[in-house]
Amino acid sequence: MLAVTRRLFRAAPRAQRWLATTSDIPTKTQPTIARRAGSDSNTDREADQQFSLQWPGATPKTVLIIKKANDKQVDSALASISRWLHREYPQINLVLEPPVHRQFRHTLPFTRTIPLGVHSEYARTVDFVVTLGGDGTFLHVSSLFPTQVPPIIPFSMGTLGFLLPFNVSDFQSQLRRVIEGSATLLPRMRLMYAKYSADGALNERGLLNITNEACIHRGTYPHLTTISCYLNDHLLTTSVGDGIIVGTPTGSTAYSLSAGGPIVHPLVSSMIVAPVCPRSLSFRPLMLPSSSIVKLQVHRQSRGRATAYIDGRDCGELLQGECIEIKKSPYPLMCVNRDDLAAGWALDINQLLKFNRTFSYPHEAPFGDHDPDSE
């Protein structure tokens, strides 16, 4: 027994050597984010709503790399990007989430992770974020930063990747743009969610941020649910159906789109209210000003209960009389984007969403002389 105890004590320091954390990393560099000036009259309006990224007096100190789980191709890309960053910019600290750090602790010994359970370290230390995966990986970043989010550069390695403008094969040039302060940022609006009991008490989880949408849905209950929708404390309508979605322009190509909502350009500051399978055929999707406050309340006479969801995550059951309140968050997602946003967005909705594709004969191009898929 004594010999076993001695071996355990001797093994402990070796086990701790690879667990490098962010505890001794200095506080992040605050970037300068300024509105981008248009280069000509055709781009002035769009440029006014995009931003340029600069690092005053220094390069960023710390980058957080977030990856899609259980994907060998993504694992290989993470290793390549980490080694390149460590070689080209050795002064930059590379941070991985704890499960990923455990996976790569031997192959990438120069990486770090946050101390166990200290999620505030992300906000204190991270200068910018790299995501490797799909839209779900991108959305995960939002959950790590309850307030201000560092700039995010997303690389598409998922199923659809509508929110991800960059191919991972271009990572060197795109990361240089971010580190050297020549990247363009697109602000993606977020919403704030609060849940209240029937007597008006705020739920213990407090305020939560939404990137795509919040939804009240009947879930597994067999009966339609009755939901009262209030706009700035005025009753807008009472709906009987499967549920109601309140979404962002970013979320307009997610669940809201499947429910018949509009596709909204990311620079249009607005909120979407879309019904899910309403009993009334006259309940059409709405676009509201981003300054609106929307409240969805399960009607006290509703036959069925409901469940609240944020970006696809279950946020608990809502009983009759309980409600959620949704308004604009002061903390948008600042995403590294293409310089020519309009061209990129039009290309994405055509290539990825197959926007307005028509039936055609085999010898006819569905876009006439211009087919985005040929680019």
Side-chain angles (χ1 to χ4, degrees):
M1 179 65 183
L2 182 59
V4 173
T5 304
R6 286 174 177 168
R7 284 199 298 271
L8 289 175
F9 276 104
R10 284 199 299 270
R14 289 199 298 271
Q16 292 172 359
R17 274 200 290 267
W18 57 265
L19 192 60
T21 70
T22 57
S23 301
D24 60 341
I25 291 179
T27 301
K28 65 184 179 182
T29 302
Q30 286 294 342
T32 299
I33 298 176
R35 289 190 181 275
R36 200 185 73 175
S39 57
D40 56 64
S41 58
N42 293 328
T43 61
D44 279 345
R45 286 190 296 273
E46 182 180 293
D48 283 346
Q49 300 177 72
Q50 295 189 83
F51 296 81
S52 61
L53 170 68
Q54 295 180 342
W55 307 98
T59 58
K61 303 182 185 78
T62 305
V63 55
L64 170 65
I65 305 178
I66 302 292
K67 81 171 193 74
K68 178 183 178 181
N70 304 318
D71 189 306
K72 292 183 179 180
Q73 186 178 4
V74 173
D75 291 349
S76 176
L78 182 143
S80 298
I81 291 173
S82 298
R83 292 189 181 105
W84 180 83
L85 282 169
H86 184 62
R87 183 178 64 252
E88 297 293 322
Y89 301 95
Q91 75 280 14
I92 294 181
N93 300 295
L94 306 182
V95 177
L96 306 176
E97 291 184 284
V100 180
H101 187 262
R102 287 195 295 270
Q103 178 185 351
F104 287 91
R105 65 182 182 270
H106 298 303
T107 55
L108 302 174
F110 47 83
T111 59
R112 296 170 178 256
T113 190
I114 63 166
L116 186 62
V118 188
H119 291 281
S120 59
E121 278 292 277
Y122 289 128
R124 186 186 72 82
T125 62
V126 175
D127 291 299
F128 71 95
V129 182
V130 175
T131 68
L132 304 172
D135 292 345
T137 308
F138 174 81
L139 294 177
H140 174 61
V141 176
S142 179
S143 68
L144 300 178
F145 297 90
T147 55
Q148 188 176 12
V149 185
I152 306 168
I153 177 163
F155 292 102
S156 179
M157 299 191 72
T159 305
L160 182 61
F162 186 76
L163 306 179
L164 318 175
F166 301 117
N167 191 294
V168 72
S169 62
D170 299 327
F171 78 84
Q172 295 186 14
S173 60
Q174 299 303 334
L175 288 176
R176 286 191 191 278
R177 290 178 64 227
V178 174
I179 294 170
E180 295 171 6
S182 59
T184 298
L185 296 180
L186 168 68
R188 289 190 176 271
M189 170 183 158
R190 289 200 295 178
L191 300 174
M192 293 183 68
Y193 160 103
K195 177 182 175 183
Y196 294 93
S197 64
D199 60 4
L202 178 64
N203 182 268
E204 60 184 12
R205 298 183 65 179
L207 301 177
L208 303 175
N209 283 294
I210 305 165
T211 303
N212 271 351
E213 74 279 311
C215 175
I216 288 185
H217 196 278
R218 69 184 177 95
T220 59
Y221 294 107
H223 300 295
L224 299 180
T225 186
T226 304
I227 301 171
S228 296
C229 179
Y230 294 84
L231 175 60
N232 299 334
D233 289 328
H234 299 286
L235 179 64
L236 179 64
T237 189
T238 298
S239 170
V240 179
D242 281 359
I244 297 179
I245 297 167
V246 180
T248 64
T250 297
S252 70
T253 54
Y255 189 14
S256 171
L257 183 64
S258 300
I263 298 176
V264 183
H265 193 282
L267 291 183
V268 178
S269 184
S270 59
M271 296 168 63
I272 302 166
V273 176
V276 182
C277 299
R279 187 172 67 181
S280 170
L281 298 179
S282 61
F283 189 174
R284 312 310 303 162
L286 302 172
M287 283 184 61
L288 304 174
S290 61
S291 58
S292 303
I293 300 176
V294 176
K295 182 172 77 173
L296 302 179
Q297 182 179 43
V298 180
H299 198 278
R300 294 182 184 274
Q301 304 302 319
S302 177
R303 291 184 66 193
R305 291 173 287 183
T307 302
Y309 298 91
I310 293 179
D311 294 338
R313 303 193 309 273
D314 188 333
C315 288
E317 186 180 62
L318 290 171
L319 304 178
Q320 286 82 350
E322 296 184 331
C323 70
I324 64 173
E325 186 177 87
I326 301 155
K327 59 184 177 181
K328 182 179 179 180
S329 169
Y331 306 108
L333 294 179
M334 302 301 290
C335 306
V336 179
N337 204 71
R338 305 178 182 97
D339 290 333
D340 192 343
L341 175 61
W345 186 78
L347 192 66
D348 285 344
I349 65 169
N350 278 294
Q351 285 189 337
L352 300 176
L353 299 184
K354 311 301 180 187
F355 177 68
N356 197 32
R357 286 295 175 96
T358 61
F359 294 103
S360 61
Y361 293 104
H363 63 279
E364 294 179 338
F367 292 90
D369 295 331
H370 175 68
D371 186 348
D373 280 347
S374 65
E375 296 186 358

